[in-house]
Amino acid sequence: LGLKVLFFGSDEFADRVLRELDGNRTGTQPCIEHMEVVCPQSNYYMKREKKVYTYQSPVHKFALKKGLNVHHPLPGSMSSWMIPLIDGGNIPGQFDIGIVASFGRFLPSRIINGFKKGMINVHPSLLPKYRGPSPIQTAILNGDPTSGVTIQEIHPSVIDGGKVLAQVPYPIPETAPYGQLVDEMGTLGGQLTVKVLRDLENIRGKSIEQDESQVSHTRMFDREDSVIVWERMTAEDIFRVHRTFYQKEPVHTCMRIKNKVKWVQFLELSVAPEKTPPINAQFLDFPPGSVFYQKKVPYVEISCLGGGRIHATRFRVSGKAERDP
């Protein structure tokens, strides 16, 4: 018989992992017999606005589409949460293993030990590098040429600190946006998880402790991280920020337009190729953040720190509709 799996996840990366696991469950040679899902609640209350909002995470939507049972722990600590019965008690026994991907909640030892085969985690970095909540964004912002996916044991007290079961590298395409990396690394992680599940006990016997001297951490990002600071950022820096955040929060900045300071969002931009002549040959004489425009040229050109330039092809000025140059 195959494994009975309880999957914990929420976001787009977790969704891609879940899709691969479900593909195995419904395939011709499955190692997963039954699967259910744990994800955040659909309804949440905004105290300041005194309203109840409905939000279904990508994992929740996919689970409903595939007819998988969905469980919602209460907000806050998981300390009192109980592992559910399989199919509400209609299937005897207990879940064999818990699989976690971008769940965002700490899981205590009581839950980890509640599975016959424990719990494993799918993490989008080559641990011990980039532990924490934002390894993909951090890799893009740092200009890393390579990242990867790790399958690890869940550690009872250290987030992303468990023994490494398997890893696979992922070369980061130079211009790829965050969403592309999430899709490709999530798929890669799901495929690697299936390989681990097929030979779990043998792989566990060869697991490796993480080298604590090589640990680095990531943090949660917010809207301020997508602000362009012309005096401190090169064209490459700005493009990496754009690749990291534009699908969630377009890069934005303050600019003087007709003697008024306006917030501007850049929806599409790129680094100007060196072989492309500048709109203004004397652009180096102007400070970073200077804007140049020419009729019949399909972009606005902006000078950057270090002598580089960016080309903005779609942008939005505060108080106005999205526009092209």
Side-chain angles (χ1 to χ4, degrees), residues 6 48 59 74 96 108 110 134 148 162 170 178 209 223 258 297:
L6 188 58
R48 184 167 57 182
V59 163
L74 293 172
D96 295 299
R110 178 184 58 78
S134 58
Y170 170 80
Y178 169 72
E209 295 280 0
R223 193 172 191 273
K258 295 181 180 180
V297 174

Side-chain angles (χ1 to χ4, degrees), residues 132-307:
S134 58
I136 298 177
Q137 297 98 318
T138 303
I140 297 173
L141 289 172
N142 288 345
D144 294 353
T146 303
S147 184
V149 178
T150 299
I151 311 299
Q152 60 164 335
E153 301 273 13
I154 295 285
H155 195 284
S157 59
V158 180
I159 294 176
D160 298 327
K163 291 182 179 180
V164 173
L165 300 175
Q167 290 183 317
V168 60
Y170 170 80
I172 300 176
E174 286 188 6
T175 61
Y178 169 72
Q180 179 180 334
L181 269 64
V182 167
D183 289 348
E184 293 177 359
M185 294 177 73
T187 299
L188 193 64
Q191 293 168 351
L192 186 61
T193 303
V194 170
K195 291 180 181 180
V196 168
L197 293 178
R198 288 192 183 281
D199 195 20
L200 183 59
E201 298 311 316
N202 181 45
I203 290 173
R204 270 197 167 131
K206 300 175 183 178
S207 62
I208 301 171
E209 295 280 0
Q210 295 186 37
D211 183 350
E212 292 297 318
S213 69
Q214 299 299 310
V215 170
S216 59
H217 296 274
T218 64
R219 63 179 177 85
M220 293 293 290
F221 292 107
D222 57 33
R223 193 172 191 273
E224 294 302 311
D225 292 296
S226 62
V227 175
I228 297 173
V229 183
W230 302 103
E231 296 78 12
R232 297 204 304 261
M233 293 182 174
T234 65
E236 289 74 18
D237 292 336
I238 293 168
F239 184 54
R240 287 199 291 265
V241 172
H242 170 68
R243 289 168 55 203
T244 302
F245 297 117
Y246 88 102
Q247 289 171 305
K248 299 284 188 180
E249 180 63 57
V251 293
H252 54 286
T253 189
C254 276
M255 305 190 80
R256 185 173 292 279
I257 301 173
K258 295 181 180 180
N259 293 321
K260 292 184 178 180
V261 176
K262 298 277 191 178
W263 277 103
V264 180
Q265 287 184 330
F266 294 102
L267 306 177
E268 288 184 8
L269 62 79
S270 60
V271 176
E274 289 186 14
K275 64 182 180 180
T276 302
I279 290 176
N280 186 324
Q282 282 76 47
F283 80 97
L284 289 174
D285 296 333
F286 293 82
S290 298
V291 180
F292 305 97
Y293 169 69
Q294 184 175 309
K295 286 186 177 181
K296 297 186 179 180
V297 174
Y299 52 77
V300 167
E301 187 169 83
I302 307 174
S303 61
C304 301
L305 183 69

Side-chain angles (χ1 to χ4, degrees), residues 18-219:
L18 179 60
R19 288 170 185 266
E20 292 299 315
L21 299 181
D22 192 64
N24 173 270
R25 180 183 69 88
T26 59
T28 55
Q29 294 181 309
C31 63
I32 298 173
E33 176 188 351
H34 180 84
M35 185 162 59
E36 299 184 24
V37 168
V38 180
C39 63
Q41 289 182 316
S42 298
N43 296 327
Y44 59 97
Y45 179 68
M46 294 292 286
K47 186 175 181 180
R48 184 167 57 182
E49 299 179 21
K50 296 183 179 179
K51 290 183 180 179
V52 175
Y53 289 88
T54 299
Y55 167 76
Q56 284 187 343
S57 69
V59 163
H60 190 181
K61 290 179 181 177
F62 181 77
L64 293 179
K65 179 181 177 181
K66 291 296 182 174
L68 302 175
N69 292 338
V70 179
H71 308 276
H72 300 297
L74 293 172
S77 172
M78 297 284 287
S79 59
S80 61
W81 186 78
M82 303 298 293
I83 298 173
L85 298 174
I86 303 176
D87 195 26
N90 293 320
I91 297 176
Q94 64 187 95
F95 286 101
D96 295 299
I97 190 168
I99 300 176
V100 181
S102 297
F103 184 57
R105 307 271 287 274
F106 180 76
L107 298 168
S109 297
R110 178 184 58 78
I111 294 177
I112 299 170
N113 297 331
F115 294 92
K116 296 178 185 177
K117 299 178 182 292
M119 301 186 76
I120 60 175
N121 171 246
V122 190
H123 186 78
S125 81
L126 295 177
L127 291 170
K129 187 176 185 179
Y130 297 158
R131 290 180 181 176
S134 58
I136 298 177
Q137 297 98 318
T138 303
I140 297 173
L141 289 172
N142 288 345
D144 294 353
T146 303
S147 184
V149 178
T150 299
I151 311 299
Q152 60 164 335
E153 301 273 13
I154 295 285
H155 195 284
S157 59
V158 180
I159 294 176
D160 298 327
K163 291 182 179 180
V164 173
L165 300 175
Q167 290 183 317
V168 60
Y170 170 80
I172 300 176
E174 286 188 6
T175 61
Y178 169 72
Q180 179 180 334
L181 269 64
V182 167
D183 289 348
E184 293 177 359
M185 294 177 73
T187 299
L188 193 64
Q191 293 168 351
L192 186 61
T193 303
V194 170
K195 291 180 181 180
V196 168
L197 293 178
R198 288 192 183 281
D199 195 20
L200 183 59
E201 298 311 316
N202 181 45
I203 290 173
R204 270 197 167 131
K206 300 175 183 178
S207 62
I208 301 171
E209 295 280 0
Q210 295 186 37
D211 183 350
E212 292 297 318
S213 69
Q214 299 299 310
V215 170
S216 59
H217 296 274
T218 64
R219 63 179 177 85

Side-chain angles (χ1 to χ4, degrees), residues 265 267-268 293 297-300 312-317 321-325:
Q265 287 184 330
L267 306 177
E268 288 184 8
Y293 169 69
V297 174
Y299 52 77
V300 167
T313 51
R314 285 177 56 231
F315 54 89
R316 179 186 294 118
V317 178
E322 175 186 324
R323 57 172 293 185
D324 302 323

